[in-house]
Amino acid sequence: MALVISFLVTFWVAYLIYKRYRPHVVLVIGGFLLMYIAVICGYGTILEPKASTGAILFDTFEFMRQTLSSRAASLGLNIMCVGAFARYMDSIGASRSLVRLAIRPLLKLKSPYLVLSLSWILGMCIGLCINSASGLALLLMVTIFPILIGLGVSRLAATAAVASTLCFDWSPSDVGTILSAETAGLDPVIYWTDYQVPIVLVAFVVVGVLFYFSQKILDERDGHVVKPMEVKAVVDDKEQKAPAFYAILPVIPLALILSFSSLWITWIKVNIINAMFIGLAIAMICEMVRKRNFRVVCDGVQTFFDGMGLQMANVVTLIVAGQVFAQGLMSMGVINTLITSSQQAGFSPMLMMLVMVIIIAVSSIVMGSGNAPFFAFAAMTPTVAAASGIAPVLFLLPMHFAASIARTCSPITAVIVVSAGIAEISPFNLIKRTMIPMAGAMLVNVGMTFFYYYRG
């Protein structure tokens, strides 16, 4: 009965998020509801006796307070600084400079669909510094999209390549990466180099090839004729155009994080927060030299602090809401039931991983979000992994990537809606173009996880 109730509440939560209700509020209400039902029906408890407030009604709020307190102090601060830095880079035009610099080599190639495939790979690389899928897509839609159209590919094919960039949220400063690494008990840089990078390198080949052939074949099927023409790409507004050397600024924190780590310089410690503040300081100096107006520079930095507040309101609170919902499911005994049922059915650890990946992928498509379902289920992953007898990272890694891959196949997700809107095409037609490459990405994701498991 607990499983049925949990399924109904989960379906209700997913339905409301699909209908564009605020996921933060819906997840918290769903979690509270499950926790209260668990206590009333005797399925489980909300808090341990020592941590309880003494009143069941207040225990849910105490759990939320404890979660917010622990997350805001460590993971939350990382996320706020990363998001704030990205926002500041965009406001001073540095992100646009990075994109303009990166796309120039592609102009020298004369194979339209090869350029399209390389554009996707390039977007993934730029995504190491620009962690927002929709934000990166916006930049690429005003830079690389006109170039692809000018080379003769269809609007659907060009938009599919742009909208699919960051189908792997693989930056060491990405919110999901930080959460996954912390939950798995790994350093974000080690998690990135040892687990994420090998998967994405394989995906570069597989997904790149799929983009080349799938878009070429689908264009031919739709009767599109490749006819190159001269198109002048509007790469930036003149008023916001930053100097070319500003392209270095978004890369500085990533370079610091990777350089001062176990990969190279070990006697100096630079964490994510330090790297973001150092990058901010260097950018401020560049802005001062460029504008020679201290007041204007100070006003510009306010964008950074505003960005921290937005990340707290939108992302950190979503993580907390996800953990509240996850606690509700655990209080209902859902995880133990699933584990027991899987063990009795003879499910192997990798089959359990596949079940979790499918749940995450379906949730991402329905919700139109990668973060919401991943944050909701990430908290319970160590419990499932411990019961299955494998390292938590082998659950978290494919779940994290599955969420971002499946997000690219949802017609209601921000990156698809934004890209389709600019290209003046239907989001539903667009996801028909992204599905084949993303199916390849998912196979790489799961296949490489199997490789890690059997290698270990």
Side-chain angles (χ1 to χ4, degrees), residues 99 103 115-124 132-149 153-167 211 215 408 415-416 418-420 422-423 425 430 433-434 438:
V99 173
I103 65 174
V115 173
L116 183 144
S117 295
L118 293 176
S119 297
W120 175 79
I121 296 174
L122 176 64
M124 285 286 295
S132 168
S134 54
L136 177 59
L138 279 171
L139 292 174
L140 295 179
M141 284 301 292
V142 296
T143 52
I144 196 66
F145 175 77
I147 295 171
L148 292 174
I149 297 299
V153 305
S154 70
R155 300 180 77 83
L156 275 172
T159 310
V162 169
S164 298
T165 52
L166 272 192
C167 62
F211 259 116
Q215 303 310 313
T408 313
V415 64
I416 294 295
V418 166
S419 302
I422 296 175
I425 57 177
L430 178 56
R433 290 299 190 102
T434 62
M438 292 307 99

Side-chain angles (χ1 to χ4, degrees), residues 193-214:
T193 56
D194 291 4
Y195 292 95
Q196 289 188 323
V197 170
I199 291 179
V200 175
L201 290 179
V202 174
F204 278 168
V205 178
V206 175
V207 180
V209 170
L210 286 174
F211 259 116
Y212 180 91
F213 287 105
S214 67

Side-chain angles (χ1 to χ4, degrees), residues 82-103:
V82 168
F85 183 78
R87 185 179 174 87
Y88 183 62
M89 288 296 101
D90 185 58
S91 72
I92 65 175
S95 296
R96 292 176 177 82
S97 293
L98 175 61
V99 173
R100 285 201 307 271
L101 177 66
I103 65 174

Side-chain angles (χ1 to χ4, degrees), residues 252-267:
I252 289 174
L254 179 65
L256 290 171
I257 292 169
L258 296 179
S259 298
F260 299 104
S261 68
S262 56
L263 298 176
W264 187 17
I265 302 173
T266 57
W267 60 91

Side-chain angles (χ1 to χ4, degrees), residues 88 297-307:
Y88 183 62
V297 173
C298 289
D299 290 341
V301 175
Q302 184 61 38
T303 304
F304 179 90
F305 298 110
D306 290 343

Side-chain angles (χ1 to χ4, degrees), residues 17 31 50 55 89 96 99 204 206 217 273 277 285 310 324 336 379 396 412 451:
I17 294 176
K50 291 183 179 180
M89 288 296 101
R96 292 176 177 82
V99 173
F204 278 168
V206 175
I217 292 171
I273 298 171
F277 281 127
I285 294 171
L310 286 173
V324 170
N336 290 333
L396 288 159
I412 62 172
F451 170 75

Side-chain angles (χ1 to χ4, degrees), residues 170-250:
W170 70 307
S171 170
S173 60
D174 172 69
V175 174
T177 298
I178 297 170
L179 177 62
S180 296
E182 184 173 287
T183 306
L186 296 173
D187 180 88
V189 174
I190 299 301
Y191 176 72
W192 182 70
T193 56
D194 291 4
Y195 292 95
Q196 289 188 323
V197 170
I199 291 179
V200 175
L201 290 179
V202 174
F204 278 168
V205 178
V206 175
V207 180
V209 170
L210 286 174
F211 259 116
Y212 180 91
F213 287 105
S214 67
Q215 303 310 313
K216 185 175 183 179
I217 292 171
L218 289 172
D219 272 359
E220 291 174 353
R221 186 201 66 179
D222 293 344
H224 177 78
V225 178
V226 177
K227 187 177 181 181
M229 59 182 177
E230 291 187 10
V231 174
K232 184 179 179 181
V234 182
V235 297
D236 213 341
D237 295 330
K238 291 182 179 180
E239 296 178 358
Q240 297 181 348
K241 189 170 182 179
F245 76 88
Y246 266 43
I248 300 173
L249 298 181

